[in-house]
PDB file of all heavy atoms in Angstrom:
ATOM      1  N   PRO I   1      -7.259  -6.442  42.907  1.00 96.00           N
ATOM      2  CA  PRO I   1      -6.518  -7.712  42.926  1.00 96.00           C
ATOM      3  C   PRO I   1      -5.129  -7.526  43.534  1.00 96.00           C
ATOM      4  O   PRO I   1      -4.561  -6.444  43.507  1.00 96.00           O
ATOM      5  CB  PRO I   1      -6.453  -8.115  41.447  1.00 96.00           C
ATOM      6  CG  PRO I   1      -6.756  -6.881  40.672  1.00 96.00           C
ATOM      7  CD  PRO I   1      -7.524  -5.981  41.575  1.00 96.00           C
ATOM      8  N   ILE I   2      -4.619  -8.625  44.054  1.00 97.00           N
ATOM      9  CA  ILE I   2      -3.266  -8.602  44.661  1.00 97.00           C
ATOM     10  C   ILE I   2      -2.264  -9.091  43.619  1.00 97.00           C
ATOM     11  O   ILE I   2      -2.489 -10.099  42.936  1.00 97.00           O
ATOM     12  CB  ILE I   2      -3.209  -9.504  45.921  1.00 97.00           C
ATOM     13  CG1 ILE I   2      -4.164  -8.943  46.974  1.00 97.00           C
ATOM     14  CG2 ILE I   2      -1.789  -9.605  46.456  1.00 97.00           C
ATOM     15  CD1 ILE I   2      -4.314  -9.841  48.193  1.00 97.00           C
ATOM     16  N   TYR I   3      -1.166  -8.362  43.529  1.00 98.00           N
ATOM     17  CA  TYR I   3      -0.059  -8.701  42.657  1.00 98.00           C
ATOM     18  C   TYR I   3       1.195  -8.828  43.527  1.00 98.00           C
ATOM     19  O   TYR I   3       1.275  -8.249  44.620  1.00 98.00           O
ATOM     20  CB  TYR I   3       0.173  -7.606  41.607  1.00 98.00           C
ATOM     21  CG  TYR I   3      -0.918  -7.491  40.599  1.00 98.00           C
ATOM     22  CD1 TYR I   3      -2.044  -6.723  40.880  1.00 98.00           C
ATOM     23  CD2 TYR I   3      -0.844  -8.124  39.389  1.00 98.00           C
ATOM     24  CE1 TYR I   3      -3.081  -6.606  39.954  1.00 98.00           C
ATOM     25  CE2 TYR I   3      -1.871  -8.023  38.454  1.00 98.00           C
ATOM     26  CZ  TYR I   3      -2.979  -7.265  38.739  1.00 98.00           C
ATOM     27  OH  TYR I   3      -3.987  -7.144  37.818  1.00 98.00           O
ATOM     28  N   LEU I   4       2.173  -9.558  43.018  1.00 98.00           N
ATOM     29  CA  LEU I   4       3.447  -9.701  43.712  1.00 98.00           C
ATOM     30  C   LEU I   4       4.562  -9.167  42.814  1.00 98.00           C
ATOM     31  O   LEU I   4       4.519  -9.370  41.587  1.00 98.00           O
ATOM     32  CB  LEU I   4       3.725 -11.168  44.048  1.00 98.00           C
ATOM     33  CG  LEU I   4       2.695 -11.830  44.987  1.00 98.00           C
ATOM     34  CD1 LEU I   4       2.924 -13.301  45.047  1.00 98.00           C
ATOM     35  CD2 LEU I   4       2.773 -11.219  46.354  1.00 98.00           C
ATOM     36  N   VAL I   5       5.551  -8.519  43.405  1.00 97.00           N
ATOM     37  CA  VAL I   5       6.697  -8.001  42.651  1.00 97.00           C
ATOM     38  C   VAL I   5       7.462  -9.219  42.164  1.00 97.00           C
ATOM     39  O   VAL I   5       7.935 -10.008  42.950  1.00 97.00           O
ATOM     40  CB  VAL I   5       7.577  -7.088  43.515  1.00 97.00           C
ATOM     41  CG1 VAL I   5       8.800  -6.630  42.737  1.00 97.00           C
ATOM     42  CG2 VAL I   5       6.769  -5.864  44.015  1.00 97.00           C
ATOM     43  N   ALA I   6       7.588  -9.360  40.835  1.00 96.00           N
ATOM     44  CA  ALA I   6       8.111 -10.572  40.244  1.00 96.00           C
ATOM     45  C   ALA I   6       9.514 -10.432  39.628  1.00 96.00           C
ATOM     46  O   ALA I   6      10.007 -11.353  38.995  1.00 96.00           O
ATOM     47  CB  ALA I   6       7.156 -11.064  39.159  1.00 96.00           C
ATOM     48  N   ASN I   7      10.141  -9.292  39.852  1.00 95.00           N
ATOM     49  CA  ASN I   7      11.497  -9.097  39.384  1.00 95.00           C
ATOM     50  C   ASN I   7      12.042  -7.858  40.064  1.00 95.00           C
ATOM     51  O   ASN I   7      11.303  -7.133  40.736  1.00 95.00           O
ATOM     52  CB  ASN I   7      11.546  -8.932  37.868  1.00 95.00           C
ATOM     53  CG  ASN I   7      12.787  -9.490  37.237  1.00 95.00           C
ATOM     54  OD1 ASN I   7      13.847  -9.531  37.857  1.00 95.00           O
ATOM     55  ND2 ASN I   7      12.687  -9.950  36.003  1.00 95.00           N
ATOM     56  N   ILE I   8      13.308  -7.598  39.884  1.00 91.00           N
ATOM     57  CA  ILE I   8      13.918  -6.394  40.459  1.00 91.00           C
ATOM     58  C   ILE I   8      13.375  -5.193  39.710  1.00 91.00           C
ATOM     59  O   ILE I   8      13.458  -5.157  38.462  1.00 91.00           O
ATOM     60  CB  ILE I   8      15.446  -6.469  40.360  1.00 91.00           C
ATOM     61  CG1 ILE I   8      15.972  -7.657  41.170  1.00 91.00           C
ATOM     62  CG2 ILE I   8      16.092  -5.180  40.816  1.00 91.00           C
ATOM     63  CD1 ILE I   8      17.430  -7.957  40.943  1.00 91.00           C
ATOM     64  N   PRO I   9      12.794  -4.217  40.397  1.00 92.00           N
ATOM     65  CA  PRO I   9      12.311  -3.007  39.685  1.00 92.00           C
ATOM     66  C   PRO I   9      13.484  -2.342  38.966  1.00 92.00           C
ATOM     67  O   PRO I   9      14.613  -2.292  39.463  1.00 92.00           O
ATOM     68  CB  PRO I   9      11.769  -2.119  40.811  1.00 92.00           C
ATOM     69  CG  PRO I   9      11.389  -3.102  41.883  1.00 92.00           C
ATOM     70  CD  PRO I   9      12.444  -4.172  41.810  1.00 92.00           C
ATOM     71  N   LEU I  10      13.216  -1.831  37.755  1.00 93.00           N
ATOM     72  CA  LEU I  10      14.239  -1.199  36.943  1.00 93.00           C
ATOM     73  C   LEU I  10      13.971   0.295  36.815  1.00 93.00           C
ATOM     74  O   LEU I  10      12.853   0.706  36.488  1.00 93.00           O
ATOM     75  CB  LEU I  10      14.292  -1.832  35.565  1.00 93.00           C
ATOM     76  CG  LEU I  10      14.648  -3.306  35.501  1.00 93.00           C
ATOM     77  CD1 LEU I  10      14.587  -3.815  34.072  1.00 93.00           C
ATOM     78  CD2 LEU I  10      16.046  -3.539  36.078  1.00 93.00           C
ATOM     79  N   MET I  11      14.996   1.072  37.050  1.00 94.00           N
ATOM     80  CA  MET I  11      14.897   2.518  36.973  1.00 94.00           C
ATOM     81  C   MET I  11      15.615   2.972  35.703  1.00 94.00           C
ATOM     82  O   MET I  11      16.691   2.478  35.376  1.00 94.00           O
ATOM     83  CB  MET I  11      15.546   3.144  38.220  1.00 94.00           C
ATOM     84  CG  MET I  11      15.219   4.579  38.442  1.00 94.00           C
ATOM     85  SD  MET I  11      15.932   5.198  39.986  1.00 94.00           S
ATOM     86  CE  MET I  11      14.891   4.399  41.188  1.00 94.00           C
ATOM     87  N   GLN I  12      14.999   3.919  34.987  1.00 95.00           N
ATOM     88  CA  GLN I  12      15.636   4.474  33.802  1.00 95.00           C
ATOM     89  C   GLN I  12      15.341   5.941  33.680  1.00 95.00           C
ATOM     90  O   GLN I  12      14.371   6.436  34.236  1.00 95.00           O
ATOM     91  CB  GLN I  12      15.178   3.720  32.534  1.00 95.00           C
ATOM     92  CG  GLN I  12      13.711   3.939  32.198  1.00 95.00           C
ATOM     93  CD  GLN I  12      13.288   3.059  31.024  1.00 95.00           C
ATOM     94  OE1 GLN I  12      12.914   1.919  31.233  1.00 95.00           O
ATOM     95  NE2 GLN I  12      13.332   3.602  29.828  1.00 95.00           N
ATOM     96  N   GLU I  13      16.217   6.655  32.964  1.00 95.00           N
ATOM     97  CA  GLU I  13      16.044   8.066  32.762  1.00 95.00           C
ATOM     98  C   GLU I  13      15.241   8.259  31.473  1.00 95.00           C
ATOM     99  O   GLU I  13      15.522   7.602  30.448  1.00 95.00           O
ATOM    100  CB  GLU I  13      17.431   8.727  32.638  1.00 95.00           C
ATOM    101  CG  GLU I  13      17.384  10.228  32.652  1.00 95.00           C
ATOM    102  CD  GLU I  13      18.743  10.834  32.646  1.00 95.00           C
ATOM    103  OE1 GLU I  13      19.438  10.752  31.586  1.00 95.00           O
ATOM    104  OE2 GLU I  13      19.183  11.367  33.671  1.00 95.00           O
ATOM    105  N   ILE I  14      14.252   9.141  31.510  1.00 94.00           N
ATOM    106  CA  ILE I  14      13.410   9.430  30.356  1.00 94.00           C
ATOM    107  C   ILE I  14      13.278  10.946  30.202  1.00 94.00           C
ATOM    108  O   ILE I  14      13.624  11.698  31.103  1.00 94.00           O
ATOM    109  CB  ILE I  14      12.016   8.793  30.477  1.00 94.00           C
ATOM    110  CG1 ILE I  14      11.276   9.329  31.722  1.00 94.00           C
ATOM    111  CG2 ILE I  14      12.111   7.255  30.527  1.00 94.00           C
ATOM    112  CD1 ILE I  14       9.833   8.969  31.802  1.00 94.00           C
ATOM    113  N   GLU I  15      12.710  11.380  29.089  1.00 92.00           N
ATOM    114  CA  GLU I  15      12.364  12.788  28.915  1.00 92.00           C
ATOM    115  C   GLU I  15      11.188  13.079  29.791  1.00 92.00           C
ATOM    116  O   GLU I  15      10.195  12.325  29.849  1.00 92.00           O
ATOM    117  CB  GLU I  15      12.023  13.085  27.452  1.00 92.00           C
ATOM    118  CG  GLU I  15      13.194  12.925  26.495  1.00 92.00           C
ATOM    119  CD  GLU I  15      14.313  13.903  26.738  1.00 92.00           C
ATOM    120  OE1 GLU I  15      14.028  15.078  27.067  1.00 92.00           O
ATOM    121  OE2 GLU I  15      15.480  13.492  26.631  1.00 92.00           O
ATOM    122  N   ASP I  16      11.228  14.192  30.500  1.00 88.00           N
ATOM    123  CA  ASP I  16      10.129  14.595  31.372  1.00 88.00           C
ATOM    124  C   ASP I  16       9.018  15.161  30.500  1.00 88.00           C
ATOM    125  O   ASP I  16       9.187  16.145  29.795  1.00 88.00           O
ATOM    126  CB  ASP I  16      10.590  15.648  32.390  1.00 88.00           C
ATOM    127  CG  ASP I  16       9.585  15.881  33.486  1.00 88.00           C
ATOM    128  OD1 ASP I  16       8.373  15.778  33.220  1.00 88.00           O
ATOM    129  OD2 ASP I  16      10.040  16.187  34.609  1.00 88.00           O
ATOM    130  N   THR I  17       7.851  14.532  30.538  1.00 81.00           N
ATOM    131  CA  THR I  17       6.716  14.973  29.713  1.00 81.00           C
ATOM    132  C   THR I  17       6.127  16.284  30.220  1.00 81.00           C
ATOM    133  O   THR I  17       5.437  16.979  29.487  1.00 81.00           O
ATOM    134  CB  THR I  17       5.627  13.895  29.685  1.00 81.00           C
ATOM    135  OG1 THR I  17       5.227  13.599  31.010  1.00 81.00           O
ATOM    136  CG2 THR I  17       6.107  12.632  28.995  1.00 81.00           C
ATOM    137  N   ASP I  18       6.398  16.634  31.471  1.00 81.00           N
ATOM    138  CA  ASP I  18       5.880  17.866  32.044  1.00 81.00           C
ATOM    139  C   ASP I  18       6.796  19.065  31.830  1.00 81.00           C
ATOM    140  O   ASP I  18       6.318  20.212  31.799  1.00 81.00           O
ATOM    141  CB  ASP I  18       5.633  17.707  33.558  1.00 81.00           C
ATOM    142  CG  ASP I  18       4.565  16.697  33.885  1.00 81.00           C
ATOM    143  OD1 ASP I  18       3.675  16.485  33.035  1.00 81.00           O
ATOM    144  OD2 ASP I  18       4.616  16.096  34.967  1.00 81.00           O
ATOM    145  N   ILE I  19       8.079  18.823  31.693  1.00 85.00           N
ATOM    146  CA  ILE I  19       9.073  19.905  31.544  1.00 85.00           C
ATOM    147  C   ILE I  19       9.951  19.599  30.313  1.00 85.00           C
ATOM    148  O   ILE I  19      10.910  18.820  30.443  1.00 85.00           O
ATOM    149  CB  ILE I  19       9.926  20.055  32.809  1.00 85.00           C
ATOM    150  CG1 ILE I  19       9.036  20.171  34.058  1.00 85.00           C
ATOM    151  CG2 ILE I  19      10.839  21.256  32.697  1.00 85.00           C
ATOM    152  CD1 ILE I  19       9.787  20.082  35.364  1.00 85.00           C
ATOM    153  N   PRO I  20       9.626  20.174  29.166  1.00 90.00           N
ATOM    154  CA  PRO I  20      10.446  19.925  27.962  1.00 90.00           C
ATOM    155  C   PRO I  20      11.932  20.239  28.202  1.00 90.00           C
ATOM    156  O   PRO I  20      12.284  21.213  28.852  1.00 90.00           O
ATOM    157  CB  PRO I  20       9.852  20.877  26.915  1.00 90.00           C
ATOM    158  CG  PRO I  20       8.451  21.135  27.399  1.00 90.00           C
ATOM    159  CD  PRO I  20       8.554  21.114  28.906  1.00 90.00           C
ATOM    160  N   GLY I  21      12.798  19.362  27.709  1.00 92.00           N
ATOM    161  CA  GLY I  21      14.233  19.526  27.841  1.00 92.00           C
ATOM    162  C   GLY I  21      14.805  19.018  29.162  1.00 92.00           C
ATOM    163  O   GLY I  21      16.019  19.028  29.349  1.00 92.00           O
ATOM    164  N   LYS I  22      13.961  18.559  30.065  1.00 93.00           N
ATOM    165  CA  LYS I  22      14.432  18.014  31.356  1.00 93.00           C
ATOM    166  C   LYS I  22      14.246  16.510  31.364  1.00 93.00           C
ATOM    167  O   LYS I  22      13.471  15.947  30.611  1.00 93.00           O
ATOM    168  CB  LYS I  22      13.631  18.637  32.528  1.00 93.00           C
ATOM    169  CG  LYS I  22      13.854  20.105  32.709  1.00 93.00           C
ATOM    170  CD  LYS I  22      15.208  20.362  33.318  1.00 93.00           C
ATOM    171  CE  LYS I  22      15.349  21.841  33.625  1.00 93.00           C
ATOM    172  NZ  LYS I  22      16.620  22.122  34.249  1.00 93.00           N
ATOM    173  N   LYS I  23      14.980  15.877  32.247  1.00 94.00           N
ATOM    174  CA  LYS I  23      14.888  14.411  32.423  1.00 94.00           C
ATOM    175  C   LYS I  23      14.049  14.079  33.625  1.00 94.00           C
ATOM    176  O   LYS I  23      13.872  14.862  34.554  1.00 94.00           O
ATOM    177  CB  LYS I  23      16.297  13.813  32.592  1.00 94.00           C
ATOM    178  CG  LYS I  23      17.212  14.054  31.430  1.00 94.00           C
ATOM    179  CD  LYS I  23      16.819  13.234  30.253  1.00 94.00           C
ATOM    180  CE  LYS I  23      17.860  13.396  29.144  1.00 94.00           C
ATOM    181  NZ  LYS I  23      17.479  12.719  27.936  1.00 94.00           N
ATOM    182  N   ALA I  24      13.509  12.891  33.612  1.00 93.00           N
ATOM    183  CA  ALA I  24      12.747  12.351  34.748  1.00 93.00           C
ATOM    184  C   ALA I  24      13.193  10.890  34.944  1.00 93.00           C
ATOM    185  O   ALA I  24      13.848  10.314  34.072  1.00 93.00           O
ATOM    186  CB  ALA I  24      11.254  12.418  34.485  1.00 93.00           C
ATOM    187  N   ILE I  25      12.799  10.306  36.052  1.00 94.00           N
ATOM    188  CA  ILE I  25      13.084   8.914  36.333  1.00 94.00           C
ATOM    189  C   ILE I  25      11.807   8.108  36.145  1.00 94.00           C
ATOM    190  O   ILE I  25      10.734   8.503  36.581  1.00 94.00           O
ATOM    191  CB  ILE I  25      13.587   8.753  37.792  1.00 94.00           C
ATOM    192  CG1 ILE I  25      14.911   9.479  37.986  1.00 94.00           C
ATOM    193  CG2 ILE I  25      13.700   7.265  38.164  1.00 94.00           C
ATOM    194  CD1 ILE I  25      16.071   8.920  37.186  1.00 94.00           C
ATOM    195  N   LEU I  26      11.945   6.955  35.484  1.00 95.00           N
ATOM    196  CA  LEU I  26      10.815   6.027  35.317  1.00 95.00           C
ATOM    197  C   LEU I  26      11.204   4.740  36.072  1.00 95.00           C
ATOM    198  O   LEU I  26      12.255   4.139  35.810  1.00 95.00           O
ATOM    199  CB  LEU I  26      10.595   5.714  33.848  1.00 95.00           C
ATOM    200  CG  LEU I  26       9.551   4.649  33.551  1.00 95.00           C
ATOM    201  CD1 LEU I  26       8.156   5.102  34.000  1.00 95.00           C
ATOM    202  CD2 LEU I  26       9.534   4.300  32.069  1.00 95.00           C
ATOM    203  N   LEU I  27      10.355   4.361  37.020  1.00 95.00           N
ATOM    204  CA  LEU I  27      10.571   3.127  37.743  1.00 95.00           C
ATOM    205  C   LEU I  27       9.590   2.084  37.207  1.00 95.00           C
ATOM    206  O   LEU I  27       8.366   2.215  37.370  1.00 95.00           O
ATOM    207  CB  LEU I  27      10.349   3.336  39.256  1.00 95.00           C
ATOM    208  CG  LEU I  27      10.560   2.077  40.130  1.00 95.00           C
ATOM    209  CD1 LEU I  27      12.005   1.605  40.039  1.00 95.00           C
ATOM    210  CD2 LEU I  27      10.164   2.372  41.547  1.00 95.00           C
ATOM    211  N   ASN I  28      10.127   1.058  36.539  1.00 96.00           N
ATOM    212  CA  ASN I  28       9.313  -0.024  36.003  1.00 96.00           C
ATOM    213  C   ASN I  28       9.260  -1.131  37.059  1.00 96.00           C
ATOM    214  O   ASN I  28      10.272  -1.649  37.494  1.00 96.00           O
ATOM    215  CB  ASN I  28       9.945  -0.608  34.738  1.00 96.00           C
ATOM    216  CG  ASN I  28       9.907   0.366  33.577  1.00 96.00           C
ATOM    217  OD1 ASN I  28       8.845   0.755  33.140  1.00 96.00           O
ATOM    218  ND2 ASN I  28      11.071   0.768  33.113  1.00 96.00           N
ATOM    219  N   VAL I  29       8.008  -1.464  37.486  1.00 96.00           N
ATOM    220  CA  VAL I  29       7.809  -2.505  38.465  1.00 96.00           C
ATOM    221  C   VAL I  29       7.092  -3.653  37.770  1.00 96.00           C
ATOM    222  O   VAL I  29       5.998  -3.468  37.234  1.00 96.00           O
ATOM    223  CB  VAL I  29       6.983  -1.986  39.649  1.00 96.00           C
ATOM    224  CG1 VAL I  29       6.755  -3.108  40.668  1.00 96.00           C
ATOM    225  CG2 VAL I  29       7.688  -0.811  40.327  1.00 96.00           C
ATOM    226  N   TYR I  30       7.696  -4.843  37.781  1.00 97.00           N
ATOM    227  CA  TYR I  30       7.175  -6.026  37.113  1.00 97.00           C
ATOM    228  C   TYR I  30       6.436  -6.866  38.134  1.00 97.00           C
ATOM    229  O   TYR I  30       7.007  -7.284  39.136  1.00 97.00           O
ATOM    230  CB  TYR I  30       8.298  -6.791  36.454  1.00 97.00           C
ATOM    231  CG  TYR I  30       8.976  -5.981  35.375  1.00 97.00           C
ATOM    232  CD1 TYR I  30      10.082  -5.196  35.665  1.00 97.00           C
ATOM    233  CD2 TYR I  30       8.482  -5.971  34.092  1.00 97.00           C
ATOM    234  CE1 TYR I  30      10.690  -4.424  34.683  1.00 97.00           C
ATOM    235  CE2 TYR I  30       9.087  -5.214  33.106  1.00 97.00           C
ATOM    236  CZ  TYR I  30      10.191  -4.440  33.403  1.00 97.00           C
ATOM    237  OH  TYR I  30      10.789  -3.651  32.447  1.00 97.00           O
ATOM    238  N   LEU I  31       5.186  -7.128  37.841  1.00 98.00           N
ATOM    239  CA  LEU I  31       4.280  -7.828  38.775  1.00 98.00           C
ATOM    240  C   LEU I  31       3.746  -9.109  38.165  1.00 98.00           C
ATOM    241  O   LEU I  31       3.770  -9.307  36.952  1.00 98.00           O
ATOM    242  CB  LEU I  31       3.120  -6.908  39.135  1.00 98.00           C
ATOM    243  CG  LEU I  31       3.479  -5.529  39.702  1.00 98.00           C
ATOM    244  CD1 LEU I  31       2.241  -4.645  39.777  1.00 98.00           C
ATOM    245  CD2 LEU I  31       4.104  -5.690  41.079  1.00 98.00           C
ATOM    246  N   VAL I  32       3.192  -9.953  39.039  1.00 98.00           N
ATOM    247  CA  VAL I  32       2.489 -11.179  38.657  1.00 98.00           C
ATOM    248  C   VAL I  32       1.240 -11.234  39.528  1.00 98.00           C
ATOM    249  O   VAL I  32       1.280 -10.910  40.736  1.00 98.00           O
ATOM    250  CB  VAL I  32       3.362 -12.435  38.925  1.00 98.00           C
ATOM    251  CG1 VAL I  32       2.554 -13.692  38.755  1.00 98.00           C
ATOM    252  CG2 VAL I  32       4.555 -12.433  38.032  1.00 98.00           C
ATOM    253  N   LYS I  33       0.143 -11.670  38.947  1.00 97.00           N
ATOM    254  CA  LYS I  33      -1.084 -11.887  39.752  1.00 97.00           C
ATOM    255  C   LYS I  33      -0.779 -12.918  40.819  1.00 97.00           C
ATOM    256  O   LYS I  33      -0.089 -13.915  40.569  1.00 97.00           O
ATOM    257  CB  LYS I  33      -2.221 -12.375  38.873  1.00 97.00           C
ATOM    258  CG  LYS I  33      -2.765 -11.291  37.950  1.00 97.00           C
ATOM    259  CD  LYS I  33      -3.905 -11.838  37.138  1.00 97.00           C
ATOM    260  CE  LYS I  33      -4.413 -10.778  36.181  1.00 97.00           C
ATOM    261  NZ  LYS I  33      -5.486 -11.272  35.341  1.00 97.00           N
ATOM    262  N   GLU I  34      -1.307 -12.671  42.002  1.00 97.00           N
ATOM    263  CA  GLU I  34      -1.037 -13.565  43.139  1.00 97.00           C
ATOM    264  C   GLU I  34      -1.343 -15.037  42.798  1.00 97.00           C
ATOM    265  O   GLU I  34      -0.547 -15.919  43.128  1.00 97.00           O
ATOM    266  CB  GLU I  34      -1.861 -13.113  44.349  1.00 97.00           C
ATOM    267  CG  GLU I  34      -1.639 -13.959  45.583  1.00 97.00           C
ATOM    268  CD  GLU I  34      -2.487 -13.516  46.744  1.00 97.00           C
ATOM    269  OE1 GLU I  34      -3.695 -13.247  46.545  1.00 97.00           O
ATOM    270  OE2 GLU I  34      -1.940 -13.410  47.841  1.00 97.00           O
ATOM    271  N   GLU I  35      -2.427 -15.279  42.097  1.00 97.00           N
ATOM    272  CA  GLU I  35      -2.830 -16.652  41.829  1.00 97.00           C
ATOM    273  C   GLU I  35      -1.915 -17.341  40.777  1.00 97.00           C
ATOM    274  O   GLU I  35      -1.951 -18.548  40.610  1.00 97.00           O
ATOM    275  CB  GLU I  35      -4.294 -16.744  41.381  1.00 97.00           C
ATOM    276  CG  GLU I  35      -4.615 -15.974  40.122  1.00 97.00           C
ATOM    277  CD  GLU I  35      -5.072 -14.533  40.373  1.00 97.00           C
ATOM    278  OE1 GLU I  35      -4.827 -13.987  41.466  1.00 97.00           O
ATOM    279  OE2 GLU I  35      -5.660 -13.960  39.442  1.00 97.00           O
ATOM    280  N   CYS I  36      -1.062 -16.547  40.097  1.00 97.00           N
ATOM    281  CA  CYS I  36      -0.144 -17.110  39.095  1.00 97.00           C
ATOM    282  C   CYS I  36       1.284 -17.243  39.614  1.00 97.00           C
ATOM    283  O   CYS I  36       2.143 -17.807  38.931  1.00 97.00           O
ATOM    284  CB  CYS I  36      -0.143 -16.227  37.843  1.00 97.00           C
ATOM    285  SG  CYS I  36      -1.738 -16.095  37.053  1.00 97.00           S
ATOM    286  N   TRP I  37       1.543 -16.773  40.812  1.00 97.00           N
ATOM    287  CA  TRP I  37       2.897 -16.677  41.383  1.00 97.00           C
ATOM    288  C   TRP I  37       3.621 -18.026  41.329  1.00 97.00           C
ATOM    289  O   TRP I  37       4.798 -18.080  40.966  1.00 97.00           O
ATOM    290  CB  TRP I  37       2.804 -16.166  42.822  1.00 97.00           C
ATOM    291  CG  TRP I  37       4.119 -16.070  43.528  1.00 97.00           C
ATOM    292  CD1 TRP I  37       4.606 -16.883  44.503  1.00 97.00           C
ATOM    293  CD2 TRP I  37       5.148 -15.096  43.321  1.00 97.00           C
ATOM    294  NE1 TRP I  37       5.832 -16.470  44.926  1.00 97.00           N
ATOM    295  CE2 TRP I  37       6.186 -15.368  44.213  1.00 97.00           C
ATOM    296  CE3 TRP I  37       5.265 -13.988  42.462  1.00 97.00           C
ATOM    297  CZ2 TRP I  37       7.350 -14.601  44.286  1.00 97.00           C
ATOM    298  CZ3 TRP I  37       6.437 -13.237  42.524  1.00 97.00           C
ATOM    299  CH2 TRP I  37       7.440 -13.525  43.419  1.00 97.00           C
ATOM    300  N   ASP I  38       2.978 -19.114  41.656  1.00 96.00           N
ATOM    301  CA  ASP I  38       3.641 -20.403  41.711  1.00 96.00           C
ATOM    302  C   ASP I  38       4.109 -20.926  40.349  1.00 96.00           C
ATOM    303  O   ASP I  38       4.918 -21.845  40.289  1.00 96.00           O
ATOM    304  CB  ASP I  38       2.706 -21.473  42.334  1.00 96.00           C
ATOM    305  CG  ASP I  38       2.498 -21.219  43.830  1.00 96.00           C
ATOM    306  OD1 ASP I  38       3.337 -20.541  44.451  1.00 96.00           O
ATOM    307  OD2 ASP I  38       1.467 -21.695  44.363  1.00 96.00           O
ATOM    308  N   TYR I  39       3.623 -20.350  39.258  1.00 96.00           N
ATOM    309  CA  TYR I  39       4.022 -20.762  37.922  1.00 96.00           C
ATOM    310  C   TYR I  39       5.328 -20.070  37.459  1.00 96.00           C
ATOM    311  O   TYR I  39       5.893 -20.421  36.422  1.00 96.00           O
ATOM    312  CB  TYR I  39       2.933 -20.480  36.892  1.00 96.00           C
ATOM    313  CG  TYR I  39       1.654 -21.215  37.189  1.00 96.00           C
ATOM    314  CD1 TYR I  39       0.543 -20.533  37.667  1.00 96.00           C
ATOM    315  CD2 TYR I  39       1.582 -22.597  37.010  1.00 96.00           C
ATOM    316  CE1 TYR I  39      -0.635 -21.223  37.950  1.00 96.00           C
ATOM    317  CE2 TYR I  39       0.385 -23.281  37.302  1.00 96.00           C
ATOM    318  CZ  TYR I  39      -0.698 -22.587  37.771  1.00 96.00           C
ATOM    319  OH  TYR I  39      -1.855 -23.269  38.050  1.00 96.00           O
ATOM    320  N   PHE I  40       5.788 -19.100  38.236  1.00 95.00           N
ATOM    321  CA  PHE I  40       6.977 -18.324  37.841  1.00 95.00           C
ATOM    322  C   PHE I  40       8.199 -18.767  38.646  1.00 95.00           C
ATOM    323  O   PHE I  40       8.149 -18.825  39.864  1.00 95.00           O
ATOM    324  CB  PHE I  40       6.713 -16.811  38.102  1.00 95.00           C
ATOM    325  CG  PHE I  40       5.831 -16.170  37.078  1.00 95.00           C
ATOM    326  CD1 PHE I  40       4.460 -16.434  37.090  1.00 95.00           C
ATOM    327  CD2 PHE I  40       6.346 -15.332  36.127  1.00 95.00           C
ATOM    328  CE1 PHE I  40       3.637 -15.823  36.142  1.00 95.00           C
ATOM    329  CE2 PHE I  40       5.532 -14.739  35.180  1.00 95.00           C
ATOM    330  CZ  PHE I  40       4.187 -14.991  35.187  1.00 95.00           C
ATOM    331  N   ASP I  41       9.271 -19.085  37.928  1.00 93.00           N
ATOM    332  CA  ASP I  41      10.546 -19.401  38.582  1.00 93.00           C
ATOM    333  C   ASP I  41      11.185 -18.106  39.092  1.00 93.00           C
ATOM    334  O   ASP I  41      10.865 -16.998  38.608  1.00 93.00           O
ATOM    335  CB  ASP I  41      11.507 -20.047  37.593  1.00 93.00           C
ATOM    336  CG  ASP I  41      11.037 -21.455  37.198  1.00 93.00           C
ATOM    337  OD1 ASP I  41      10.370 -22.112  38.002  1.00 93.00           O
ATOM    338  OD2 ASP I  41      11.359 -21.873  36.067  1.00 93.00           O
TER     339      ASP I  41
END
């Protein structure tokens, strides 16, 4: 299915699950189904 980016992606620092004691970046991308796009301001 096709989705559209529905907000500014947000980046945050998290604990790296692969390397204990290190940090990683998490990029949260907020989407909307294409057929629902017109309902979102």
Side-chain angles (χ1 to χ4, degrees):
I2 297 173
Y3 292 85
L4 299 170
V5 177
N7 214 330
I8 297 171
L10 297 176
M11 196 176 286
Q12 67 186 86
E13 190 176 72
I14 60 170
E15 294 295 322
D16 192 328
T17 56
D18 295 334
I19 308 170
K22 295 285 186 179
K23 300 288 186 185
I25 296 296
L26 175 65
L27 181 64
N28 292 298
V29 179
Y30 297 91
L31 305 169
V32 170
K33 289 181 182 178
E34 181 182 44
E35 61 269 18
C36 299
W37 179 254
D38 290 338
Y39 299 108
F40 284 75
D41 291 331

